[in-house]
Amino acid sequence: MAFWWVNQNKSSEYEIAGGYLWSPKRKKNGAKNYFYDTMAAVEVGDIIFSFYKTKIQHLGVATHAALSTHKPVEFGEAGKDWDNDGWLVKVAWHKIPTPFRPADMMETIAPLLPHKYAPLQTNGRGLQGVYLTGISDVLATALLAPMRNFAEDIISLAATQPQDPTIADQIRAEMEDRMTEVINSSTELKPTEKQALIMSRRGQGKFRERLEGIEHCCRFTGITNAHLLRASHIKPWRDSSNAERLDGNNGLLLTPDFDHLFDKGLISFEDNGTVLISTKVSHRDLEALCGYSLVGKNVGPFSARQAVFMLYHRESVFQR
């Protein structure tokens, strides 16, 4: 069990009500950010202290590891300065009976703050730019002390928190449904453009037409029968811009079994076509599913434009 501190501020009402944490993956200029990278390190059963409006007001228990998702639609103006591509961690939030101000106990906790990546200043004020940061067991114990029985209950709950494998699919489905609603409600898109974007989610219409102009068969099986192939986005539909959703270079034609493996991040590819296999699936199970070993298999190189999307898949979808 690890302990985390999140400075929620303007996103608190959406994240608490929605049961999650969300952050961009990078700064607007494309630079990495430690306080966003931490999202990918959260594991099921970790405990998160929620700090906003000068108080620690909720304790959260992580119920699923980080998923790559589009920025929540409900953020609206509150998230206008954040990149759309981000991490979402599912969290069960629990309201603290008596929220408290860390500033009132700085004499105790100031010496326990980390020298690097601290969640707040030694005077108790929050630090601008800090989102999610790890804290030590000792600091967590000091913060939990005012909560007594409530804290014990949350720790017991966290220690027995199972990972629900269905949550990931539910979250992705919810995010995609929201994006479809946004597309339908847009006043900037023509009806035909809306239809093309929504159809691209199902691998049909303009996206499939463009994809079939680039890929002519399943790279694994060589099957060319269109009825047996799915048009699979490399960079997931939910994370793509409208232009990327219709870009034929952002896709592969795959039979249903390989489409499933690729969509779940259980396989991916190097730019030269070498197949990558996730540690989340055994080679024996893959061989039973596919009929042959995928170890060392190469399906042929990808173009420079395809490689851009494949890099995203390796970094954000593939389960290493």
PDB file of all heavy atoms in Angstrom, residues 51-75:
ATOM      1  N   PHE A  51      -6.725  17.079  -1.189  1.00  0.00           N
ATOM      2  CA  PHE A  51      -6.536  18.414  -0.603  1.00  0.00           C
ATOM      3  C   PHE A  51      -7.112  19.469  -1.554  1.00  0.00           C
ATOM      4  O   PHE A  51      -6.712  19.562  -2.708  1.00  0.00           O
ATOM      5  CB  PHE A  51      -5.045  18.666  -0.387  1.00  0.00           C
ATOM      6  CG  PHE A  51      -4.707  20.040   0.144  1.00  0.00           C
ATOM      7  CD1 PHE A  51      -4.889  20.341   1.486  1.00  0.00           C
ATOM      8  CD2 PHE A  51      -4.201  21.011  -0.698  1.00  0.00           C
ATOM      9  CE1 PHE A  51      -4.563  21.608   1.983  1.00  0.00           C
ATOM     10  CE2 PHE A  51      -3.877  22.283  -0.216  1.00  0.00           C
ATOM     11  CZ  PHE A  51      -4.056  22.575   1.130  1.00  0.00           C
ATOM     12  N   TYR A  52      -8.100  20.224  -1.061  1.00  0.00           N
ATOM     13  CA  TYR A  52      -8.627  21.350  -1.823  1.00  0.00           C
ATOM     14  C   TYR A  52      -9.298  22.321  -0.863  1.00  0.00           C
ATOM     15  O   TYR A  52      -9.729  21.952   0.224  1.00  0.00           O
ATOM     16  CB  TYR A  52      -9.603  20.901  -2.917  1.00  0.00           C
ATOM     17  CG  TYR A  52     -10.834  20.158  -2.443  1.00  0.00           C
ATOM     18  CD1 TYR A  52     -12.052  20.815  -2.236  1.00  0.00           C
ATOM     19  CD2 TYR A  52     -10.803  18.786  -2.208  1.00  0.00           C
ATOM     20  CE1 TYR A  52     -13.188  20.136  -1.816  1.00  0.00           C
ATOM     21  CE2 TYR A  52     -11.925  18.101  -1.791  1.00  0.00           C
ATOM     22  CZ  TYR A  52     -13.117  18.777  -1.594  1.00  0.00           C
ATOM     23  OH  TYR A  52     -14.231  18.094  -1.168  1.00  0.00           O
ATOM     24  N   LYS A  53      -9.316  23.592  -1.268  1.00  0.00           N
ATOM     25  CA  LYS A  53      -9.862  24.672  -0.432  1.00  0.00           C
ATOM     26  C   LYS A  53      -9.204  24.670   0.939  1.00  0.00           C
ATOM     27  O   LYS A  53      -9.883  24.783   1.971  1.00  0.00           O
ATOM     28  CB  LYS A  53     -11.385  24.548  -0.314  1.00  0.00           C
ATOM     29  CG  LYS A  53     -12.105  24.733  -1.645  1.00  0.00           C
ATOM     30  CD  LYS A  53     -13.613  24.646  -1.497  1.00  0.00           C
ATOM     31  CE  LYS A  53     -14.301  24.858  -2.843  1.00  0.00           C
ATOM     32  NZ  LYS A  53     -15.781  24.731  -2.755  1.00  0.00           N
ATOM     33  N   THR A  54      -7.892  24.504   0.970  1.00  0.00           N
ATOM     34  CA  THR A  54      -7.007  24.554   2.152  1.00  0.00           C
ATOM     35  C   THR A  54      -7.157  23.380   3.108  1.00  0.00           C
ATOM     36  O   THR A  54      -6.477  23.339   4.127  1.00  0.00           O
ATOM     37  CB  THR A  54      -7.179  25.862   2.955  1.00  0.00           C
ATOM     38  OG1 THR A  54      -8.397  25.822   3.719  1.00  0.00           O
ATOM     39  CG2 THR A  54      -7.160  27.093   2.054  1.00  0.00           C
ATOM     40  N   LYS A  55      -8.040  22.399   2.789  1.00  0.00           N
ATOM     41  CA  LYS A  55      -8.272  21.298   3.727  1.00  0.00           C
ATOM     42  C   LYS A  55      -8.109  19.931   3.064  1.00  0.00           C
ATOM     43  O   LYS A  55      -8.297  19.782   1.852  1.00  0.00           O
ATOM     44  CB  LYS A  55      -9.688  21.383   4.315  1.00  0.00           C
ATOM     45  CG  LYS A  55      -9.947  22.597   5.177  1.00  0.00           C
ATOM     46  CD  LYS A  55     -11.380  22.570   5.714  1.00  0.00           C
ATOM     47  CE  LYS A  55     -11.657  23.772   6.593  1.00  0.00           C
ATOM     48  NZ  LYS A  55     -13.055  23.743   7.127  1.00  0.00           N
ATOM     49  N   ILE A  56      -7.773  18.934   3.881  1.00  0.00           N
ATOM     50  CA  ILE A  56      -7.866  17.547   3.458  1.00  0.00           C
ATOM     51  C   ILE A  56      -9.301  17.125   3.761  1.00  0.00           C
ATOM     52  O   ILE A  56      -9.721  17.102   4.922  1.00  0.00           O
ATOM     53  CB  ILE A  56      -6.857  16.657   4.199  1.00  0.00           C
ATOM     54  CG1 ILE A  56      -5.441  16.999   3.733  1.00  0.00           C
ATOM     55  CG2 ILE A  56      -7.150  15.176   3.941  1.00  0.00           C
ATOM     56  CD1 ILE A  56      -4.349  16.208   4.413  1.00  0.00           C
ATOM     57  N   GLN A  57     -10.069  16.802   2.702  1.00  0.00           N
ATOM     58  CA  GLN A  57     -11.508  16.615   2.871  1.00  0.00           C
ATOM     59  C   GLN A  57     -11.995  15.197   2.560  1.00  0.00           C
ATOM     60  O   GLN A  57     -13.070  14.801   3.000  1.00  0.00           O
ATOM     61  CB  GLN A  57     -12.261  17.602   1.989  1.00  0.00           C
ATOM     62  CG  GLN A  57     -11.826  19.056   2.217  1.00  0.00           C
ATOM     63  CD  GLN A  57     -12.913  20.037   1.870  1.00  0.00           C
ATOM     64  OE1 GLN A  57     -14.085  19.819   2.162  1.00  0.00           O
ATOM     65  NE2 GLN A  57     -12.543  21.142   1.261  1.00  0.00           N
ATOM     66  N   HIS A  58     -11.203  14.454   1.789  1.00  0.00           N
ATOM     67  CA  HIS A  58     -11.581  13.080   1.446  1.00  0.00           C
ATOM     68  C   HIS A  58     -10.362  12.171   1.507  1.00  0.00           C
ATOM     69  O   HIS A  58      -9.235  12.612   1.293  1.00  0.00           O
ATOM     70  CB  HIS A  58     -12.160  12.993   0.023  1.00  0.00           C
ATOM     71  CG  HIS A  58     -13.515  13.590  -0.133  1.00  0.00           C
ATOM     72  ND1 HIS A  58     -13.720  14.957  -0.243  1.00  0.00           N
ATOM     73  CD2 HIS A  58     -14.750  13.016  -0.212  1.00  0.00           C
ATOM     74  CE1 HIS A  58     -15.019  15.196  -0.377  1.00  0.00           C
ATOM     75  NE2 HIS A  58     -15.660  14.034  -0.368  1.00  0.00           N
ATOM     76  N   LEU A  59     -10.628  10.899   1.775  1.00  0.00           N
ATOM     77  CA  LEU A  59      -9.632   9.854   1.592  1.00  0.00           C
ATOM     78  C   LEU A  59     -10.121   8.973   0.450  1.00  0.00           C
ATOM     79  O   LEU A  59     -11.302   8.612   0.399  1.00  0.00           O
ATOM     80  CB  LEU A  59      -9.476   8.997   2.851  1.00  0.00           C
ATOM     81  CG  LEU A  59      -8.524   9.480   3.949  1.00  0.00           C
ATOM     82  CD1 LEU A  59      -8.407   8.415   5.027  1.00  0.00           C
ATOM     83  CD2 LEU A  59      -7.145   9.807   3.390  1.00  0.00           C
ATOM     84  N   GLY A  60      -9.224   8.649  -0.450  1.00  0.00           N
ATOM     85  CA  GLY A  60      -9.600   7.813  -1.578  1.00  0.00           C
ATOM     86  C   GLY A  60      -8.852   6.498  -1.569  1.00  0.00           C
ATOM     87  O   GLY A  60      -7.722   6.414  -1.092  1.00  0.00           O
ATOM     88  N   VAL A  61      -9.494   5.462  -2.093  1.00  0.00           N
ATOM     89  CA  VAL A  61      -8.861   4.157  -2.277  1.00  0.00           C
ATOM     90  C   VAL A  61      -8.866   3.866  -3.772  1.00  0.00           C
ATOM     91  O   VAL A  61      -9.928   3.844  -4.403  1.00  0.00           O
ATOM     92  CB  VAL A  61      -9.620   3.049  -1.523  1.00  0.00           C
ATOM     93  CG1 VAL A  61      -8.961   1.692  -1.789  1.00  0.00           C
ATOM     94  CG2 VAL A  61      -9.653   3.340  -0.031  1.00  0.00           C
ATOM     95  N   ALA A  62      -7.687   3.679  -4.347  1.00  0.00           N
ATOM     96  CA  ALA A  62      -7.590   3.390  -5.779  1.00  0.00           C
ATOM     97  C   ALA A  62      -8.215   2.033  -6.070  1.00  0.00           C
ATOM     98  O   ALA A  62      -7.874   1.034  -5.430  1.00  0.00           O
ATOM     99  CB  ALA A  62      -6.143   3.412  -6.226  1.00  0.00           C
ATOM    100  N   THR A  63      -9.145   2.002  -7.029  1.00  0.00           N
ATOM    101  CA  THR A  63      -9.827   0.750  -7.376  1.00  0.00           C
ATOM    102  C   THR A  63      -9.398   0.206  -8.731  1.00  0.00           C
ATOM    103  O   THR A  63      -9.785  -0.885  -9.109  1.00  0.00           O
ATOM    104  CB  THR A  63     -11.356   0.945  -7.376  1.00  0.00           C
ATOM    105  OG1 THR A  63     -11.698   1.967  -8.327  1.00  0.00           O
ATOM    106  CG2 THR A  63     -11.847   1.356  -5.996  1.00  0.00           C
ATOM    107  N   HIS A  64      -8.618   0.985  -9.473  1.00  0.00           N
ATOM    108  CA  HIS A  64      -8.084   0.500 -10.750  1.00  0.00           C
ATOM    109  C   HIS A  64      -6.866   1.334 -11.121  1.00  0.00           C
ATOM    110  O   HIS A  64      -6.811   2.526 -10.833  1.00  0.00           O
ATOM    111  CB  HIS A  64      -9.139   0.600 -11.856  1.00  0.00           C
ATOM    112  CG  HIS A  64      -8.832  -0.277 -13.040  1.00  0.00           C
ATOM    113  ND1 HIS A  64      -7.891   0.070 -13.985  1.00  0.00           N
ATOM    114  CD2 HIS A  64      -9.310  -1.479 -13.417  1.00  0.00           C
ATOM    115  CE1 HIS A  64      -7.812  -0.883 -14.898  1.00  0.00           C
ATOM    116  NE2 HIS A  64      -8.666  -1.841 -14.573  1.00  0.00           N
ATOM    117  N   ALA A  65      -5.880   0.686 -11.724  1.00  0.00           N
ATOM    118  CA  ALA A  65      -4.678   1.388 -12.160  1.00  0.00           C
ATOM    119  C   ALA A  65      -5.006   2.362 -13.287  1.00  0.00           C
ATOM    120  O   ALA A  65      -6.097   2.330 -13.866  1.00  0.00           O
ATOM    121  CB  ALA A  65      -3.632   0.378 -12.617  1.00  0.00           C
ATOM    122  N   ALA A  66      -4.048   3.235 -13.601  1.00  0.00           N
ATOM    123  CA  ALA A  66      -4.275   4.302 -14.578  1.00  0.00           C
ATOM    124  C   ALA A  66      -4.644   3.769 -15.953  1.00  0.00           C
ATOM    125  O   ALA A  66      -4.076   2.788 -16.434  1.00  0.00           O
ATOM    126  CB  ALA A  66      -3.022   5.167 -14.686  1.00  0.00           C
ATOM    127  N   LEU A  67      -5.614   4.438 -16.564  1.00  0.00           N
ATOM    128  CA  LEU A  67      -6.042   4.132 -17.926  1.00  0.00           C
ATOM    129  C   LEU A  67      -5.800   5.360 -18.785  1.00  0.00           C
ATOM    130  O   LEU A  67      -5.950   6.496 -18.327  1.00  0.00           O
ATOM    131  CB  LEU A  67      -7.535   3.793 -17.956  1.00  0.00           C
ATOM    132  CG  LEU A  67      -7.964   2.518 -17.237  1.00  0.00           C
ATOM    133  CD1 LEU A  67      -9.468   2.520 -17.063  1.00  0.00           C
ATOM    134  CD2 LEU A  67      -7.520   1.299 -18.033  1.00  0.00           C
ATOM    135  N   SER A  68      -5.429   5.145 -20.030  1.00  0.00           N
ATOM    136  CA  SER A  68      -5.258   6.246 -20.968  1.00  0.00           C
ATOM    137  C   SER A  68      -6.636   6.678 -21.465  1.00  0.00           C
ATOM    138  O   SER A  68      -7.343   5.901 -22.087  1.00  0.00           O
ATOM    139  CB  SER A  68      -4.389   5.788 -22.140  1.00  0.00           C
ATOM    140  OG  SER A  68      -4.273   6.826 -23.094  1.00  0.00           O
ATOM    141  N   THR A  69      -7.028   7.918 -21.160  1.00  0.00           N
ATOM    142  CA  THR A  69      -8.351   8.395 -21.572  1.00  0.00           C
ATOM    143  C   THR A  69      -8.280   9.854 -22.013  1.00  0.00           C
ATOM    144  O   THR A  69      -7.356  10.591 -21.669  1.00  0.00           O
ATOM    145  CB  THR A  69      -9.388   8.316 -20.428  1.00  0.00           C
ATOM    146  OG1 THR A  69      -9.072   9.297 -19.433  1.00  0.00           O
ATOM    147  CG2 THR A  69      -9.433   6.937 -19.807  1.00  0.00           C
ATOM    148  N   HIS A  70      -9.287  10.243 -22.753  1.00  0.00           N
ATOM    149  CA  HIS A  70      -9.461  11.630 -23.160  1.00  0.00           C
ATOM    150  C   HIS A  70      -9.871  12.453 -21.932  1.00  0.00           C
ATOM    151  O   HIS A  70     -10.415  11.928 -20.971  1.00  0.00           O
ATOM    152  CB  HIS A  70     -10.550  11.697 -24.237  1.00  0.00           C
ATOM    153  CG  HIS A  70     -10.512  12.942 -25.056  1.00  0.00           C
ATOM    154  ND1 HIS A  70     -11.113  14.099 -24.660  1.00  0.00           N
ATOM    155  CD2 HIS A  70      -9.944  13.210 -26.261  1.00  0.00           C
ATOM    156  CE1 HIS A  70     -10.937  15.033 -25.577  1.00  0.00           C
ATOM    157  NE2 HIS A  70     -10.222  14.516 -26.566  1.00  0.00           N
ATOM    158  N   LYS A  71      -9.614  13.744 -21.965  1.00  0.00           N
ATOM    159  CA  LYS A  71     -10.000  14.639 -20.865  1.00  0.00           C
ATOM    160  C   LYS A  71     -11.512  14.568 -20.639  1.00  0.00           C
ATOM    161  O   LYS A  71     -12.294  14.620 -21.594  1.00  0.00           O
ATOM    162  CB  LYS A  71      -9.592  16.070 -21.200  1.00  0.00           C
ATOM    163  CG  LYS A  71      -9.969  17.102 -20.142  1.00  0.00           C
ATOM    164  CD  LYS A  71      -9.316  18.444 -20.439  1.00  0.00           C
ATOM    165  CE  LYS A  71      -9.705  18.984 -21.787  1.00  0.00           C
ATOM    166  NZ  LYS A  71      -9.038  20.263 -22.091  1.00  0.00           N
ATOM    167  N   PRO A  72     -11.949  14.411 -19.389  1.00  0.00           N
ATOM    168  CA  PRO A  72     -13.387  14.345 -19.107  1.00  0.00           C
ATOM    169  C   PRO A  72     -14.132  15.571 -19.640  1.00  0.00           C
ATOM    170  O   PRO A  72     -13.699  16.710 -19.433  1.00  0.00           O
ATOM    171  CB  PRO A  72     -13.446  14.292 -17.574  1.00  0.00           C
ATOM    172  CG  PRO A  72     -12.150  13.668 -17.175  1.00  0.00           C
ATOM    173  CD  PRO A  72     -11.149  14.206 -18.162  1.00  0.00           C
ATOM    174  N   VAL A  73     -15.228  15.327 -20.319  1.00  0.00           N
ATOM    175  CA  VAL A  73     -16.009  16.401 -20.920  1.00  0.00           C
ATOM    176  C   VAL A  73     -16.523  17.373 -19.860  1.00  0.00           C
ATOM    177  O   VAL A  73     -16.599  18.583 -20.084  1.00  0.00           O
ATOM    178  CB  VAL A  73     -17.195  15.805 -21.716  1.00  0.00           C
ATOM    179  CG1 VAL A  73     -18.090  16.908 -22.256  1.00  0.00           C
ATOM    180  CG2 VAL A  73     -16.688  14.934 -22.850  1.00  0.00           C
ATOM    181  N   GLU A  74     -16.840  16.838 -18.670  1.00  0.00           N
ATOM    182  CA  GLU A  74     -17.440  17.681 -17.638  1.00  0.00           C
ATOM    183  C   GLU A  74     -16.501  18.757 -17.098  1.00  0.00           C
ATOM    184  O   GLU A  74     -16.942  19.705 -16.444  1.00  0.00           O
ATOM    185  CB  GLU A  74     -17.959  16.827 -16.471  1.00  0.00           C
ATOM    186  CG  GLU A  74     -16.905  15.962 -15.806  1.00  0.00           C
ATOM    187  CD  GLU A  74     -16.872  14.556 -16.366  1.00  0.00           C
ATOM    188  OE1 GLU A  74     -17.221  14.384 -17.553  1.00  0.00           O
ATOM    189  OE2 GLU A  74     -16.484  13.641 -15.616  1.00  0.00           O
ATOM    190  N   PHE A  75     -15.184  18.651 -17.371  1.00  0.00           N
ATOM    191  CA  PHE A  75     -14.248  19.667 -16.897  1.00  0.00           C
ATOM    192  C   PHE A  75     -14.564  21.033 -17.492  1.00  0.00           C
ATOM    193  O   PHE A  75     -14.373  22.048 -16.839  1.00  0.00           O
ATOM    194  CB  PHE A  75     -12.816  19.266 -17.250  1.00  0.00           C
ATOM    195  CG  PHE A  75     -12.181  18.299 -16.291  1.00  0.00           C
ATOM    196  CD1 PHE A  75     -12.935  17.635 -15.343  1.00  0.00           C
ATOM    197  CD2 PHE A  75     -10.825  18.058 -16.323  1.00  0.00           C
ATOM    198  CE1 PHE A  75     -12.358  16.741 -14.463  1.00  0.00           C
ATOM    199  CE2 PHE A  75     -10.218  17.170 -15.440  1.00  0.00           C
ATOM    200  CZ  PHE A  75     -10.995  16.508 -14.509  1.00  0.00           C
TER     201      PHE A  75
END
